[in-house]
């Protein structure tokens, strides 16, 4: 029996251990309990281990089983120590569960986002360069994740590498990634406003480096944006974030994007290059809103830049170009005659009944300056009417005018 104290780095990482010999469990005669802090996070643990002679001999793997608790998180480890293999001193199976990954930010040294409750199991190995997780099988809320993860150091900075796949990824389960509270899919705007004002935590992007790749077969969000799949890779290095590719399905179409953000700049600088294909406008409108009629597929491209630390700031300072083309579909003839200022035809359709008119094509091109989009070209050509006009969209004021 005995007592030991382990310390690493500074006073924020220490464990007080009580050790006893207990032969009640074959092959694991050493029982230990621990209490202390790791990187400032309180932790308690119970462990069973092999005989001391086996550990001192160092000639074969030394069995170790641990159950630990830190706040609302629980962990277990069932594996071995390898004193004769400094390249991989630990290897075994680990499980983890808790209410919110954000609770692990201090313990793991990684600024995890807020999430819904999680549970995970994986193979964990401690190697010379850091911790490595393989055969990961995790669930966060309704979302599932499988793949690999490593926590190492690169040029003196924490480095996270993740390769994951998902059959179902619900963005509401990872609300902290978009500035929301745990379990919310997006940061909510104020009443009467469309775009949230809550700032991003850009400080997180300067605290560590990362290389994260994710593929999701099915992607869920709120009803405001009908997403369906995702293929993304995020590379973060010294506060500079690159999302490339960022490809996802939306509104029965597809968006291919590349986004660059520099959190070292204040406010944060963002550039985006997007191409979208076969988007269905009706899918982007709230249910019950039939104003888009049967508008066909929309193709387009945008090259944009802005600076800001919140969604409303980024849109209010938007610069760049946006253009799109509508192909096929149909629209209300009444709406077309009103838009074309043909009062006689509009009255006729009001009295005699409306009908759908096929769309040949529509073309729109906008320039963005300080958050205001002004049309260069705005044309809609149908079987009955050709409409041209001008549009001005003020993203900062959330106002739109079409002449």
């Amino acid at each position: 029996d005995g007592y030991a104290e382990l310390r690493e780095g500074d006073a924020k990482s220490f464990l007080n251990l009580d050790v006893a010999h207990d032969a009640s469990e074959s092959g694991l005669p050493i029982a230990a309990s621990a209490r202390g802090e790791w990187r400032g996070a309180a932790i308690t643990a119970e462990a069973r281990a092999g005989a001391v002679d086996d550990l001192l001999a160092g000639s074969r793997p030394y069995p170790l089983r641990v159950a630990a608790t830190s706040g609302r998180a629980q962990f277990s480890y069932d594996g071995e120590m390898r004193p004769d293999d400094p390249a991989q001193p630990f290897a075994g199976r680990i499980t983890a569960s808790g209410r919110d990954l954000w609770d692990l930010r201090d313990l793991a040294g990684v600024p995890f986002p807020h999430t819904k409750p999680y549970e995970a199991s994986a193979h964990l190995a401690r190697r010379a360069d850091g911790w490595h997780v393989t055969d990961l099988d995790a669930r966060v809320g309704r979302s599932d994740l499988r793949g690999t993860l490593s926590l190492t150091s690169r040029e003196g900075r924490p480095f996270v590498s993740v390769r994951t796949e998902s059959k179902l990824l619900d963005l509401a389960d990872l609300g902290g990634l978009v500035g929301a509270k745990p379990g919310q899919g997006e940061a909510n705007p104020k009443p009467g406003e469309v775009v949230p004002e809550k700032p991003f935590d850009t400080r997180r992007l300067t605290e560590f480096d990362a290389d994260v790749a994710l593929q999701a077969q099915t992607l869920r969000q709120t009803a405001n944006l009908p997403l369906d799949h995702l293929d993304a890779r995020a590379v973060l290095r010294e506060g500079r974030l690159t999302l490339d590719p960022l490809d996802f399905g939306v509104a029965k179409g597809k968006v291919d994007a590349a986004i660059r953000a520099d959190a070292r700049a204040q406010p944060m600088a963002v550039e985006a290059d997007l191409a979208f294909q076969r988007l269905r406008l009706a899918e982007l409108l709230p249910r019950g809103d039939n104003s888009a009629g049967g508008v066909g597929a929309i193709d387009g491209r945008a090259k944009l830049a802005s600076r800001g630390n919140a969604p409303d700031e980024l849109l209010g300072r938007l610069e760049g170009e946006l253009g799109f083309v509508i192909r096929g579909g149909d629209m209300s003839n009444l709406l077309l005659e009103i838009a074309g200022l043909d009062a006689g035809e509009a009255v006729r359709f009001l009295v005699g009944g409306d009908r759908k008119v096929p769309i040949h094509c529509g073309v729109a091109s906008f320039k963005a300056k300080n958050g205001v989009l002004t049309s260069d070209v705005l044309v809609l050509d149908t079987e009955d009417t050709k409409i041209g006009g001008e549009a001005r969209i003020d993203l900062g004021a959330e106002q739109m005018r079409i002449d």
Side-chain angles (χ1 to χ4, degrees), residues 142-146 165-174 214-221 225-231 247-250:
R142 295 185 299 174
S143 303
D144 65 275
L145 294 167
R146 299 170 308 282
E165 296 180 349
S166 174
K167 292 182 179 178
L168 171 62
L169 185 66
D170 190 335
L171 295 185
D173 296 332
L174 305 170
L214 171 62
Q215 291 183 329
Q217 296 178 17
T218 302
L219 188 63
R220 287 184 181 172
Q221 207 244 10
L225 198 57
L227 304 172
D228 55 44
H229 70 268
L230 173 69
D231 182 4
D247 302 340
F248 54 92
V250 59

Side-chain angles (χ1 to χ4, degrees), residues 1-80:
D1 295 359
Y3 171 83
E5 183 175 291
L6 301 179
R7 291 186 176 273
E8 180 173 303
D10 52 35
K12 292 185 177 181
S13 296
F14 68 91
L15 289 175
N16 297 319
L17 286 81
D18 289 306
V19 183
H21 187 274
D22 181 358
S24 62
E25 190 165 346
S26 178
L28 297 171
I30 302 300
S33 62
R35 183 179 299 273
E37 294 185 0
W38 194 261
R39 295 194 176 105
I43 187 170
T44 60
E46 300 290 334
R48 301 288 302 206
V52 175
D53 290 345
D54 293 337
L55 176 62
L56 296 176
S59 58
R60 61 177 181 268
Y62 180 71
L64 177 64
R65 191 172 67 213
V66 181
T69 300
S70 179
R72 300 182 296 179
Q74 295 82 42
F75 311 91
S76 71
Y77 172 82
D78 192 349
E80 57 193 26

Side-chain angles (χ1 to χ4, degrees), residues 218-390:
T218 302
L219 188 63
R220 287 184 181 172
Q221 207 244 10
T222 64
N224 297 332
L225 198 57
L227 304 172
D228 55 44
H229 70 268
L230 173 69
D231 182 4
R233 183 182 180 189
V235 176
L236 177 62
R237 186 175 178 86
E238 296 181 349
R240 292 168 294 185
L241 174 65
T242 300
L243 290 167
D244 189 7
L246 177 58
D247 302 340
F248 54 92
V250 59
K252 297 184 178 179
K254 180 183 178 184
V255 175
D256 299 327
I259 298 176
R260 293 165 295 279
D262 189 348
R264 301 171 308 170
Q266 287 301 319
M268 181 172 64
V270 179
E271 297 178 350
D273 195 345
L274 305 95
F276 43 95
Q277 302 172 6
R278 303 181 303 278
L279 303 190
R280 298 284 174 174
L281 181 59
E283 298 290 328
L284 297 172
L285 298 175
R287 291 183 180 179
D289 187 338
N290 298 316
S291 59
V295 171
I298 301 176
D299 298 337
R301 191 170 190 90
K303 192 173 183 64
L304 305 167
S306 188
R307 297 176 73 92
N309 292 329
D312 64 323
E313 292 180 4
L314 289 172
L315 289 180
R317 298 167 180 161
L318 197 66
E319 307 277 339
E321 298 179 346
L322 165 67
F324 60 87
V325 177
I326 299 174
R327 307 180 193 278
D330 54 59
M331 287 191 72
S332 159
N333 207 11
L334 175 60
L335 288 176
L336 289 170
E337 297 302 341
I338 291 174
L341 300 179
D342 191 332
E345 286 293 300
V347 170
R348 184 167 69 86
F349 285 116
L350 280 171
V351 175
D354 195 8
R355 66 183 178 88
K356 297 293 185 180
V357 176
I359 297 173
H360 292 159
C361 71
V363 179
S365 175
F366 291 86
K367 280 190 170 59
K369 184 70 174 177
N370 201 28
V372 178
L373 287 96
T374 305
S375 63
D376 293 328
V377 178
L378 189 61
V379 177
L380 182 65
D381 185 21
T382 74
E383 189 175 85
D384 287 2
T385 308
K386 183 174 182 179
I387 300 174
E390 296 180 352

